Structures are given as structure tokens and as C-alpha cells.
Coordinates of all heavy atoms in Angstrom, one line a residue:
M1203 N 47.7 109.7 37.2 CA 47.4 110.0 35.8 C 48.5 111.0 35.3 O 48.7 112.0 35.9 CB 46.0 110.6 35.8 CG 45.5 110.8 34.3 SD 43.9 111.0 34.2 CE 43.7 112.8 34.1
I1204 N 49.0 110.7 34.1 CA 50.0 111.6 33.5 C 49.2 112.6 32.6 O 48.4 112.3 31.8 CB 51.0 110.8 32.7 CG1 51.7 109.8 33.4 CG2 51.9 111.7 31.8 CD1 52.6 108.9 32.6
Q1205 N 49.5 113.8 32.9 CA 49.0 115.0 32.2 C 49.8 115.4 31.0 O 51.1 115.5 31.2 CB 48.6 116.2 33.0 CG 47.7 115.9 34.1 CD 46.6 117.0 34.0 OE1 46.8 117.9 33.3 NE2 45.6 116.8 34.8
S1206 N 49.3 115.5 29.8 CA 50.1 115.9 28.7 C 50.2 117.3 28.6 O 49.5 118.2 29.2 CB 49.4 115.4 27.4 OG 48.2 116.1 27.2
E1207 N 51.3 117.8 27.9 CA 51.6 119.3 27.9 C 50.6 119.8 26.9 O 50.1 119.3 26.0 CB 53.0 119.6 27.2 CG 54.1 119.2 28.2 CD 54.1 120.2 29.2 OE1 54.0 121.5 29.1 OE2 54.4 119.9 30.5
P1208 N 49.9 121.1 27.3 CA 49.0 121.7 26.4 C 49.7 122.0 25.1 O 50.8 122.3 24.9 CB 48.7 123.0 27.1 CG 49.4 123.0 28.4 CD 50.3 121.9 28.4
K1209 N 48.9 121.9 24.0 CA 49.3 122.0 22.7 C 49.4 123.5 22.3 O 48.7 124.3 22.9 CB 48.3 121.4 21.7 CG 48.3 120.0 21.7 CD 47.3 119.4 20.8 CE 47.2 117.9 20.8 NZ 46.1 117.4 19.9
S1210 N 50.4 123.8 21.5 CA 50.6 125.3 21.2 C 49.9 125.4 19.7 O 49.6 124.4 19.1 CB 52.1 125.7 21.0 OG 52.6 124.9 20.0
E1211 N 49.7 126.6 19.4 CA 49.0 126.9 17.9 C 49.9 126.2 16.9 O 49.3 125.8 16.0 CB 49.0 128.3 17.8 CG 48.2 128.7 16.5 CD 48.1 130.2 16.2 OE1 48.3 131.0 17.2 OE2 47.9 130.5 15.0
S1212 N 51.1 126.2 17.1 CA 52.1 125.6 16.0 C 51.9 124.2 15.7 O 52.1 123.8 14.7 CB 53.4 126.0 16.2 OG 53.9 125.4 17.4
D1213 N 51.5 123.4 16.7 CA 51.3 122.0 16.6 C 49.8 121.6 16.7 O 49.6 120.3 16.6 CB 52.1 121.2 17.4 CG 51.9 121.4 18.9 OD1 51.1 122.1 19.3 OD2 52.8 120.9 19.7
L1214 N 48.9 122.5 16.7 CA 47.6 122.2 16.9 C 46.9 121.9 15.6 O 47.1 122.5 14.5 CB 46.7 123.4 17.6 CG 45.3 123.3 17.8 CD1 45.0 122.2 18.8 CD2 44.7 124.6 18.3
T1215 N 46.1 120.8 15.4 CA 45.3 120.5 14.3 C 43.8 120.5 14.7 O 43.5 120.1 15.9 CB 45.6 119.1 13.6 OG1 45.4 118.1 14.7 CG2 47.1 119.1 13.1
V1216 N 42.9 120.9 13.8 CA 41.5 120.9 14.1 C 40.7 120.3 13.0 O 41.1 120.2 11.9 CB 41.0 122.3 14.4 CG1 41.6 122.9 15.7 CG2 41.3 123.3 13.2
C1217 N 39.5 119.8 13.4 CA 38.6 119.3 12.5 C 37.7 120.4 11.9 O 37.4 121.3 12.6 CB 37.7 118.1 13.1 SG 38.6 116.7 13.6
V1218 N 37.5 120.4 10.6 CA 36.6 121.3 9.9 C 35.7 120.7 9.1 O 35.8 119.6 8.7 CB 37.4 122.4 9.2 CG1 38.5 123.1 10.1 CG2 38.1 121.8 8.0
R1219 N 34.5 121.5 8.9 CA 33.5 121.0 8.0 C 32.9 122.3 7.2 O 33.2 123.3 7.7 CB 32.2 120.4 8.7 CG 32.5 119.3 9.5 CD 31.3 118.8 10.3 NE 31.4 117.7 11.0 CZ 30.8 117.5 12.2 NH1 29.9 118.4 12.7 NH2 31.0 116.4 12.9
R1220 N 32.2 122.1 6.2 CA 31.4 123.2 5.6 C 30.3 123.7 6.4 O 30.0 124.8 6.4 CB 31.0 122.8 4.2 CG 32.2 122.4 3.2 CD 32.9 123.6 2.8 NE 32.4 124.2 1.6 CZ 33.0 125.3 1.0 NH1 33.9 125.9 1.6 NH2 32.4 125.6 -0.1
H1221 N 29.7 122.8 7.2 CA 28.5 123.1 8.0 C 28.7 122.5 9.4 O 29.1 121.4 9.5 CB 27.2 122.7 7.4 CG 26.1 123.2 8.0 ND1 25.4 122.7 9.0 CD2 25.2 124.3 7.7 CE1 24.3 123.3 9.4 NE2 24.2 124.4 8.6
P1222 N 28.4 123.2 10.5 CA 28.6 122.8 11.8 C 28.0 121.5 12.1 O 28.4 120.6 13.0 CB 28.3 123.8 12.7 CG 27.5 124.9 12.0 CD 27.7 124.6 10.5
S1223 N 26.7 121.2 11.5 CA 26.0 120.0 12.0 C 26.3 118.7 11.2 O 25.7 117.8 11.5 CB 24.5 120.3 11.9 OG 24.1 120.5 10.5
G1224 N 27.2 118.9 10.3 CA 27.5 117.5 9.6 C 28.2 117.7 8.2 O 28.6 118.8 7.9
G1225 N 28.4 116.6 7.6 CA 29.2 116.7 6.3 C 30.5 116.1 6.6 O 31.0 115.7 7.6
P1226 N 31.3 115.8 5.3 CA 32.6 115.4 5.4 C 33.5 116.2 6.2 O 33.4 117.4 6.2 CB 33.1 115.3 4.1 CG 31.8 115.4 3.2 CD 30.7 116.0 4.0
T1227 N 34.4 115.6 7.0 CA 35.3 116.3 7.9 C 36.6 116.2 7.4 O 37.1 115.2 7.1 CB 35.1 115.8 9.4 OG1 33.8 115.9 9.7 CG2 36.0 116.4 10.3
A1228 N 37.4 117.2 7.6 CA 38.9 117.3 7.3 C 39.7 117.8 8.5 O 39.1 118.5 9.3 CB 39.2 118.1 6.0
V1229 N 41.0 117.5 8.5 CA 41.8 117.9 9.6 C 42.8 119.0 9.0 O 43.4 118.6 7.9 CB 42.7 116.7 10.3 CG1 43.5 117.3 11.2 CG2 41.6 115.8 10.9
Y1230 N 42.8 120.0 9.5 CA 43.8 121.2 9.0 C 44.6 121.6 10.2 O 44.3 121.5 11.4 CB 43.0 122.4 8.5 CG 42.6 122.3 7.1 CD1 41.5 121.7 6.9 CD2 43.3 122.9 6.0 CE1 41.0 121.6 5.5 CE2 42.9 122.9 4.9 CZ 41.7 122.2 4.5 OH 41.3 122.1 3.2
R1231 N 45.9 122.0 9.8 CA 46.8 122.6 10.8 C 46.1 124.0 11.2 O 45.6 124.8 10.3 CB 48.1 122.9 10.3 CG 49.1 121.6 10.2 CD 50.5 122.0 9.8 NE 50.5 122.2 8.3 CZ 50.3 121.3 7.4 NH1 50.3 120.1 7.7 NH2 50.5 121.7 6.1
F1232 N 46.0 124.2 12.5 CA 45.3 125.5 12.9 C 46.0 126.7 12.4 O 45.2 127.7 12.1 CB 45.4 125.5 14.5 CG 44.5 126.6 15.1 CD1 43.1 126.5 15.1 CD2 45.1 127.7 15.7 CE1 42.4 127.4 15.7 CE2 44.4 128.6 16.2 CZ 43.0 128.5 16.3
S1233 N 47.3 126.6 12.2 CA 48.1 127.8 11.7 C 47.8 128.0 10.2 O 48.0 129.1 9.6 CB 49.6 127.6 11.9 OG 49.9 126.4 11.2
D1234 N 47.0 127.2 9.5 CA 46.7 127.3 8.1 C 45.3 127.9 8.0 O 44.8 127.9 6.7 CB 46.8 126.0 7.4 CG 48.2 125.5 7.2 OD1 49.1 126.3 7.3 OD2 48.5 124.3 7.0
I1235 N 44.6 128.2 9.0 CA 43.2 128.7 8.9 C 43.4 130.2 9.1 O 44.0 130.7 10.1 CB 42.5 128.1 9.9 CG1 42.3 126.6 9.9 CG2 40.9 128.7 9.9 CD1 41.6 125.9 10.9
D1236 N 42.8 130.9 8.2 CA 42.7 132.5 8.3 C 41.3 133.0 8.5 O 40.3 132.3 8.2 CB 43.3 133.0 6.9 CG 44.8 132.8 6.6 OD1 45.6 132.8 7.7 OD2 45.1 132.4 5.6
G1237 N 41.2 134.3 8.7 CA 40.0 135.0 8.8 C 38.8 134.3 9.8 O 37.8 134.3 9.4
F1238 N 39.4 134.1 10.9 CA 38.4 133.5 11.9 C 37.3 134.6 12.3 O 37.6 135.8 12.4 CB 39.2 133.2 13.3 CG 39.9 132.0 13.2 CD1 41.2 131.9 12.7 CD2 39.3 130.7 13.6 CE1 41.9 130.6 12.6 CE2 40.0 129.6 13.6 CZ 41.3 129.5 13.0
H1239 N 36.1 134.2 12.4 CA 35.0 134.9 12.7 C 33.9 134.1 13.1 O 33.7 132.9 12.8 CB 34.5 135.8 11.5 CG 34.0 135.0 10.3 ND1 34.8 134.3 9.5 CD2 32.8 134.8 9.9 CE1 34.2 133.7 8.5 NE2 32.9 134.0 8.8
R1240 N 32.9 134.7 13.8 CA 31.7 134.0 14.2 C 30.7 134.4 13.2 O 30.6 135.6 12.8 CB 31.2 134.5 15.8 CG 32.1 133.9 16.7 CD 31.4 133.7 18.0 NE 32.3 133.0 19.0 CZ 32.4 131.7 19.3 NH1 31.6 130.9 18.5 NH2 33.2 131.2 20.1
G1241 N 29.7 133.6 13.0 CA 28.7 133.8 12.0 C 27.5 132.8 12.0 O 27.6 131.8 12.8
R1242 N 26.6 132.9 11.2 CA 25.5 132.1 11.1 C 25.2 131.5 9.7 O 24.3 130.9 9.4 CB 24.2 132.8 11.5 CG 24.1 133.1 13.0 CD 22.9 133.7 13.4 NE 22.9 134.0 14.8 CZ 21.9 134.1 15.5 NH1 20.7 134.0 15.1 NH2 22.0 134.3 16.9
V1243 N 26.1 131.7 8.7 CA 26.1 131.3 7.4 C 27.2 130.4 7.1 O 28.4 130.7 7.2 CB 25.9 132.4 6.4 CG1 25.9 131.9 5.0 CG2 24.8 133.4 6.7
S1244 N 26.9 129.1 6.8 CA 28.0 128.2 6.4 C 28.7 128.4 5.1 O 28.2 129.2 4.3 CB 27.3 126.8 6.4 OG 26.5 126.6 5.3
G1245 N 29.8 127.7 5.0 CA 30.5 127.7 3.8 C 29.7 126.9 2.7 O 28.7 126.1 3.1
G1246 N 30.2 126.9 1.5 CA 29.5 125.9 0.4 C 28.2 126.6 0.0 O 28.2 127.6 -0.6
V1247 N 27.1 126.0 0.3 CA 25.7 126.4 -0.1 C 25.3 127.5 0.7 O 24.2 128.1 0.3 CB 24.7 125.2 -0.1 CG1 25.1 124.1 -1.0 CG2 24.5 124.7 1.3
G1248 N 26.0 128.0 1.7 CA 25.6 129.2 2.4 C 24.3 129.0 3.3 O 23.4 129.9 3.3
R1249 N 24.1 127.9 4.0 CA 23.0 127.6 4.8 C 23.1 128.4 6.0 O 24.0 128.6 6.7 CB 23.0 126.1 5.3 CG 21.7 125.6 5.3 CD 21.6 124.1 5.6 NE 22.9 123.3 5.2 CZ 23.0 122.1 5.7 NH1 22.2 121.5 6.5 NH2 24.2 121.4 5.4
E1250 N 21.9 129.1 6.4 CA 21.8 129.9 7.7 C 21.4 128.9 8.7 O 20.6 128.1 8.6 CB 20.8 131.0 7.5 CG 20.8 132.0 8.7 CD 20.3 133.3 8.2 OE1 20.1 133.6 7.1 OE2 20.2 134.1 9.2
M1251 N 22.1 129.2 9.9 CA 21.8 128.5 11.1 C 21.1 129.4 12.1 O 21.1 130.6 12.0 CB 23.1 128.0 11.7 CG 23.9 127.2 10.7 SD 25.7 126.9 11.2 CE 26.2 128.6 11.3
S1252 N 20.6 128.7 13.2 CA 19.8 129.4 14.2 C 20.8 130.0 15.3 O 20.4 130.8 16.2 CB 18.8 128.6 14.9 OG 19.4 127.4 15.6
H1253 N 22.1 129.6 15.3 CA 23.1 130.0 16.3 C 24.5 130.3 15.6 O 24.7 129.9 14.4 CB 23.3 128.9 17.3 CG 23.8 127.7 16.7 ND1 23.0 126.8 16.0 CD2 25.1 127.2 16.6 CE1 23.7 125.8 15.6 NE2 24.9 125.9 15.9
D1254 N 25.3 131.1 16.3 CA 26.6 131.5 15.8 C 27.5 130.3 15.9 O 27.4 129.4 16.8 CB 27.2 132.6 16.7 CG 26.8 133.9 16.4 OD1 26.0 134.1 15.3 OD2 27.1 134.9 17.0
A1255 N 28.5 130.2 15.0 CA 29.5 129.2 14.9 C 30.8 129.8 14.6 O 30.8 131.0 14.1 CB 29.2 128.0 13.9
L1256 N 31.9 129.2 14.9 CA 33.2 129.6 14.5 C 33.5 129.3 13.1 O 33.5 128.0 12.8 CB 34.2 129.2 15.4 CG 35.8 129.7 15.3 CD1 35.7 131.3 15.5 CD2 36.6 129.0 16.3
F1257 N 34.0 130.2 12.3 CA 34.3 129.9 10.8 C 35.7 130.5 10.5 O 36.3 131.3 11.2 CB 33.3 130.5 9.8 CG 32.0 130.0 9.8 CD1 31.0 130.5 10.6 CD2 31.6 128.9 9.1 CE1 29.6 129.9 10.7 CE2 30.4 128.3 9.2 CZ 29.4 128.8 10.0
G1258 N 36.3 130.0 9.4 CA 37.7 130.5 9.0 C 37.7 130.1 7.4 O 36.7 129.5 6.9
Y1259 N 38.8 130.4 6.9 CA 39.2 130.2 5.5 C 40.4 129.2 5.5 O 41.4 129.5 6.0 CB 39.3 131.5 4.7 CG 38.0 132.1 4.7 CD1 37.8 133.1 5.6 CD2 37.0 131.9 3.7 CE1 36.6 133.8 5.7 CE2 35.8 132.6 3.7 CZ 35.6 133.5 4.7 OH 34.4 134.3 4.7
V1260 N 40.3 128.2 4.5 CA 41.5 127.3 4.3 C 41.7 127.1 2.8 O 40.8 127.4 2.0 CB 41.2 125.9 4.9 CG1 41.1 125.9 6.4 CG2 40.0 125.3 4.5
M1261 N 42.9 126.8 2.4 CA 43.1 126.4 1.1 C 42.4 125.0 0.8 O 42.6 124.1 1.6 CB 44.6 126.3 0.7 CG 45.3 127.6 0.9 SD 44.5 128.9 -0.1 CE 45.0 128.5 -1.8
C1262 N 41.7 124.8 -0.3 CA 40.9 123.7 -0.6 C 41.8 122.5 -0.7 O 41.3 121.3 -0.3 CB 40.1 123.8 -1.9 SG 41.0 124.0 -3.4
D1263 N 43.2 122.5 -0.9 CA 43.9 121.4 -1.0 C 44.9 121.2 0.1 O 45.9 120.5 0.1 CB 44.7 121.4 -2.4 CG 45.8 122.7 -2.5 OD1 45.7 123.6 -1.6 OD2 46.5 122.6 -3.3
G1264 N 44.7 122.0 1.2 CA 45.6 122.0 2.4 C 45.3 121.1 3.5 O 46.0 121.2 4.5
A1265 N 44.5 120.2 3.4 CA 44.1 119.3 4.6 C 45.2 118.4 4.9 O 45.8 117.8 4.0 CB 42.7 118.5 4.2
V1266 N 45.5 118.1 6.1 CA 46.4 117.1 6.6 C 45.7 115.7 6.3 O 46.4 114.9 5.9 CB 46.6 117.3 8.1 CG1 47.5 116.2 8.7 CG2 47.2 118.7 8.4
S1267 N 44.4 115.5 6.6 CA 43.7 114.4 6.2 C 42.2 114.6 6.0 O 41.8 115.7 6.4 CB 43.9 113.3 7.4 OG 43.2 113.8 8.5
G1268 N 41.6 113.8 5.3 CA 40.1 113.8 5.1 C 39.9 115.0 4.0 O 40.8 115.4 3.4
E1269 N 38.7 115.4 3.8 CA 38.3 116.4 2.9 C 36.9 116.8 3.2 O 36.1 116.2 3.8 CB 38.4 115.9 1.5 CG 37.4 114.8 1.1 CD 37.7 114.3 -0.3 OE1 38.8 114.1 -0.7 OE2 36.6 114.1 -1.0
V1270 N 36.7 118.1 2.9 CA 35.3 118.7 3.0 C 34.6 118.7 1.6 O 35.3 118.7 0.6 CB 35.5 120.2 3.6 CG1 35.9 120.2 5.1 CG2 36.2 121.1 2.8
A1271 N 33.4 118.9 1.8 CA 32.5 118.9 0.5 C 33.0 120.1 -0.1 O 32.8 121.3 0.3 CB 31.1 119.0 0.8
H1272 N 33.4 120.0 -1.4 CA 33.9 121.1 -2.3 C 34.1 120.6 -3.7 O 34.8 119.6 -3.9 CB 35.2 121.7 -1.6 CG 35.8 122.7 -2.5 ND1 35.2 123.9 -2.8 CD2 37.1 122.7 -3.1 CE1 36.0 124.7 -3.5 NE2 37.2 123.9 -3.7
S1273 N 33.8 121.4 -4.7 CA 33.8 120.9 -6.0 C 34.8 121.8 -6.9 O 35.1 121.2 -8.0 CB 32.5 121.3 -6.7 OG 32.2 122.6 -6.7
C1274 N 35.3 122.8 -6.5 CA 36.3 123.6 -7.3 C 35.6 124.2 -8.6 O 36.3 124.6 -9.5 CB 37.5 122.9 -7.7 SG 38.7 122.8 -6.4
R1275 N 34.3 124.3 -8.5 CA 33.6 124.7 -9.8 C 33.8 126.2 -10.0 O 33.5 126.8 -11.1 CB 32.0 124.5 -9.6 CG 31.7 123.1 -9.8 CD 30.1 123.0 -9.8 NE 29.7 123.3 -8.4 CZ 28.6 123.1 -8.0 NH1 27.6 122.6 -8.8 NH2 28.2 123.4 -6.8
H1276 N 34.0 127.0 -9.0 CA 34.1 128.4 -9.1 C 35.6 128.9 -9.3 O 35.8 130.2 -9.3 CB 33.5 129.1 -7.8 CG 34.1 128.7 -6.6 ND1 33.8 127.6 -5.8 CD2 35.2 129.3 -5.8 CE1 34.5 127.5 -4.9 NE2 35.4 128.5 -4.7
G1277 N 36.4 128.0 -9.7 CA 37.7 128.5 -10.1 C 38.8 127.4 -10.0 O 38.5 126.4 -9.3
P1278 N 39.8 127.6 -10.6 CA 40.9 126.5 -10.6 C 41.5 126.4 -9.1 O 41.6 127.5 -8.5 CB 41.9 126.9 -11.7 CG 41.7 128.4 -11.7 CD 40.3 128.7 -11.5
A1279 N 41.9 125.2 -8.7 CA 42.4 124.9 -7.4 C 43.9 125.3 -7.5 O 44.4 125.3 -8.6 CB 42.3 123.5 -7.1
P1280 N 44.5 125.6 -6.4 CA 43.8 125.7 -5.1 C 43.2 127.1 -4.9 O 43.9 128.2 -5.4 CB 45.1 125.4 -4.2 CG 46.2 125.9 -4.8 CD 45.9 125.8 -6.3
H1281 N 42.4 127.3 -4.0 CA 41.8 128.6 -3.6 C 41.2 128.4 -2.2 O 41.0 127.3 -1.7 CB 40.7 129.0 -4.7 CG 39.7 128.0 -4.9 ND1 39.7 127.2 -6.1 CD2 38.6 127.6 -4.3 CE1 38.7 126.3 -6.1 NE2 38.0 126.6 -4.9
Q1282 N 40.8 129.5 -1.7 CA 40.4 129.5 -0.4 C 38.9 129.1 -0.3 O 38.1 129.5 -1.2 CB 40.4 130.8 0.4 CG 41.8 131.2 0.9 CD 41.8 132.3 1.8 OE1 41.1 133.3 1.6 NE2 42.7 132.3 2.9
I1283 N 38.4 128.4 0.8 CA 37.1 128.0 1.0 C 36.8 128.2 2.5 O 37.5 128.2 3.3 CB 36.7 126.5 0.6 CG1 37.5 125.6 1.4 CG2 36.9 126.3 -0.8 CD1 37.3 124.1 1.3
K1284 N 35.5 128.6 2.7 CA 35.0 129.0 4.0 C 34.6 127.6 4.7 O 33.9 126.6 4.1 CB 33.7 129.8 4.0 CG 33.2 130.1 5.4 CD 32.0 131.0 5.1 CE 31.4 131.6 6.5 NZ 30.3 132.4 6.3
V1285 N 35.2 127.4 6.0 CA 34.8 126.2 6.7 C 34.4 126.6 8.1 O 34.7 127.6 8.6 CB 36.1 125.3 6.8 CG1 36.4 124.6 5.5 CG2 37.3 125.9 7.5
C1286 N 33.8 125.6 8.7 CA 33.3 125.7 10.1 C 34.3 124.9 11.1 O 34.7 123.9 10.6 CB 31.8 125.2 10.3 SG 31.3 125.2 12.1
I1287 N 34.6 125.5 12.2 CA 35.4 124.8 13.2 C 34.4 124.4 14.3 O 34.3 125.2 15.3 CB 36.6 125.6 13.6 CG1 37.5 126.1 12.5 CG2 37.4 124.8 14.6 CD1 37.2 127.4 12.0
P1288 N 33.9 123.2 14.2 CA 32.8 122.9 15.2 C 33.4 122.5 16.5 O 34.4 121.7 16.6 CB 32.1 121.7 14.5 CG 32.8 121.3 13.4 CD 33.9 122.2 13.2
K1289 N 32.8 123.0 17.6 CA 33.2 122.7 18.9 C 33.1 121.2 19.2 O 33.9 120.5 19.8 CB 32.3 123.5 19.9 CG 32.8 123.3 21.4 CD 32.1 124.1 22.3 CE 32.6 123.9 23.7 NZ 31.9 124.8 24.7
T1290 N 32.0 120.5 18.6 CA 31.7 119.1 18.9 C 32.8 118.3 18.4 O 33.2 117.3 19.0 CB 30.5 118.7 18.2 OG1 30.5 119.0 16.9 CG2 29.2 119.5 18.8
C1291 N 33.6 118.6 17.4 CA 34.7 117.9 16.8 C 36.1 118.3 17.5 O 37.0 117.6 17.3 CB 34.8 118.0 15.3 SG 33.4 117.6 14.4
N1292 N 36.1 119.3 18.2 CA 37.4 119.9 18.7 C 37.3 120.2 20.2 O 38.1 121.0 20.7 CB 37.7 121.1 17.9 CG 37.8 120.9 16.5 OD1 38.8 120.3 16.1 ND2 37.0 121.4 15.7
K1293 N 36.6 119.3 20.9 CA 36.4 119.7 22.4 C 37.7 119.6 23.2 O 38.0 120.6 24.0 CB 35.5 118.6 23.0 CG 34.0 118.7 22.6 CD 33.3 117.6 23.3 CE 31.8 117.8 22.9 NZ 30.9 116.7 23.3
E1294 N 38.6 118.8 22.9 CA 39.9 118.7 23.5 C 40.7 119.9 23.5 O 41.4 120.3 24.4 CB 40.7 117.4 23.1 CG 42.0 117.3 23.8 CD 42.7 116.0 23.3 OE1 42.0 115.0 23.0 OE2 44.0 116.1 23.3
D1295 N 40.7 120.5 22.2 CA 41.6 121.7 22.1 C 40.8 123.0 21.8 O 41.4 123.9 21.4 CB 42.4 121.5 20.9 CG 43.5 120.4 21.0 OD1 44.1 120.3 22.1 OD2 43.5 119.4 20.1
W1296 N 39.5 123.0 22.3 CA 38.6 124.2 22.1 C 39.1 125.4 22.7 O 39.3 126.5 22.0 CB 37.2 123.9 22.4 CG 36.3 124.9 22.0 CD1 35.6 125.8 22.8 CD2 35.8 125.2 20.6 NE1 34.8 126.6 22.1 CE2 35.0 126.3 20.7 CE3 36.1 124.7 19.5 CZ2 34.2 126.8 19.7 CZ3 35.5 125.3 18.2 CH2 34.6 126.3 18.4
K1297 N 39.5 125.4 23.9 CA 40.0 126.5 24.6 C 41.4 127.1 24.0 O 41.6 128.3 23.9 CB 40.2 126.2 26.1 CG 38.9 126.0 26.8 CD 39.2 125.8 28.3 CE 37.7 125.6 29.1 NZ 37.9 125.3 30.4
V1298 N 42.3 126.1 23.5 CA 43.5 126.6 23.0 C 43.2 127.4 21.6 O 43.8 128.4 21.4 CB 44.4 125.4 22.7 CG1 45.6 125.9 21.9 CG2 44.8 124.7 23.9
A1299 N 42.2 126.8 20.9 CA 41.8 127.5 19.6 C 41.3 128.9 19.9 O 41.7 129.8 19.1 CB 40.8 126.6 18.9
L1300 N 40.4 129.0 20.8 CA 39.8 130.2 21.1 C 40.8 131.3 21.6 O 40.6 132.4 21.1 CB 38.6 130.1 22.0 CG 37.4 129.3 21.6 CD1 36.4 129.3 22.7 CD2 36.7 129.9 20.2
K1301 N 41.6 130.8 22.4 CA 42.6 131.7 22.9 C 43.7 132.2 21.9 O 44.0 133.4 21.8 CB 43.4 131.0 24.1 CG 44.4 131.9 24.7 CD 45.1 131.2 25.9 CE 46.2 132.0 26.5 NZ 47.1 131.3 27.4
A1302 N 44.0 131.3 21.0 CA 44.9 131.6 20.0 C 44.4 132.6 19.0 O 45.3 133.4 18.5 CB 45.4 130.2 19.2
K1303 N 43.2 132.5 18.7 CA 42.6 133.4 17.7 C 41.8 134.6 18.4 O 41.1 135.4 17.8 CB 41.7 132.8 16.8 CG 42.4 131.8 15.8 CD 43.5 132.6 15.1 CE 44.3 131.8 14.1 NZ 45.4 132.4 13.5
G1304 N 41.9 134.8 19.7 CA 41.2 135.8 20.4 C 39.8 135.9 20.4 O 39.1 136.9 20.4
K1305 N 39.1 134.7 20.3 CA 37.6 134.6 20.2 C 36.9 134.4 21.5 O 37.2 133.5 22.3 CB 37.2 133.5 19.3 CG 37.7 133.7 17.8 CD 36.9 134.9 17.2 CE 37.4 135.2 15.8 NZ 37.0 136.5 15.3

């Protein structure tokens, strides 16, 4: 079996959502995500969860592909929005992501 080289932060992409349990998913370059933190309140409607998840902030128009639920009602685009980086969507690169951001 051929093993691939581990990805670096510079070429890593991750799936993000507004809430960890579902909703539209977008792909962002890991290097375009700021403000990594653990929390229990999702982006968007601010739904509280029973467990911590990994969150960060992205520019609303910066996705490589896909899109997250977002209306731009609170100001002209582009602006930052809070997103969740769910482990379930990013299993292959989860350890790289955590190591890169010191989580």
C-alpha cells in the first residue's frame, strides 16, 4: 500500500458548516480560517450544543467550493462569519488541523 505524504497547513482544505450537526457544507483553505476556538454556540442563529466543538471565522465569500447557510443581512459582503469545523467531515486531516492550530 502506498502511503501519501501528510498534508501541510498550506495545502490543507477543510469542510465547514454553521452548526456541527448539519446544514450546507463548504470547503475552505485551512489557512483562510481565523480565530480558532472551542465552544458550544454555533454560528448563524447561535444554537447552543451539549458538547464543545471547534469553531473559527471565515470570509463569507472565500469558500473553495460549496457554501454555508448565510444571508449577508447584517452588512455588505464580504465579511467574517463564524463556522464549525466538524470532526465528522474532516476525519482524514483532523490531527493535522488540531496540531496546526495548537488545539
Side-chain angles (χ1 to χ4, degrees):
M1203 184 163 98
I1204 299 173
Q1205 294 235 354
S1206 61
E1207 288 291 314
K1209 293 180 183 172
S1210 68
E1211 182 181 344
S1212 62
D1213 58 11
L1214 180 65
T1215 57
V1216 293
C1217 294
V1218 303
R1219 298 177 181 151
R1220 293 291 264 179
H1221 192 273
S1223 65
T1227 302
V1229 175
Y1230 275 81
R1231 283 182 288 283
F1232 190 73
S1233 58
D1234 290 341
I1235 304 173
D1236 294 318
F1238 282 86
H1239 64 283
R1240 290 207 175 266
R1242 292 185 177 202
V1243 179
S1244 71
V1247 297
R1249 209 172 349 160
E1250 188 157 352
M1251 304 167 300
S1252 62
H1253 61 283
D1254 281 355
L1256 183 60
F1257 291 95
Y1259 295 91
V1260 297
M1261 296 305 289
C1262 65
D1263 65 348
V1266 173
S1267 65
E1269 60 183 45
V1270 294
H1272 175 62
S1273 66
C1274 282
R1275 283 185 298 193
H1276 55 280
H1281 50 263
Q1282 282 193 322
I1283 57 173
K1284 183 179 182 179
V1285 294
C1286 179
I1287 302 94
K1289 184 176 182 179
T1290 56
C1291 298
N1292 296 292
K1293 287 180 182 178
E1294 183 179 322
D1295 297 314
W1296 190 249
K1297 289 183 181 178
V1298 174
L1300 293 181
K1301 182 179 177 186
K1303 291 302 178 187
K1305 297 289 177 191

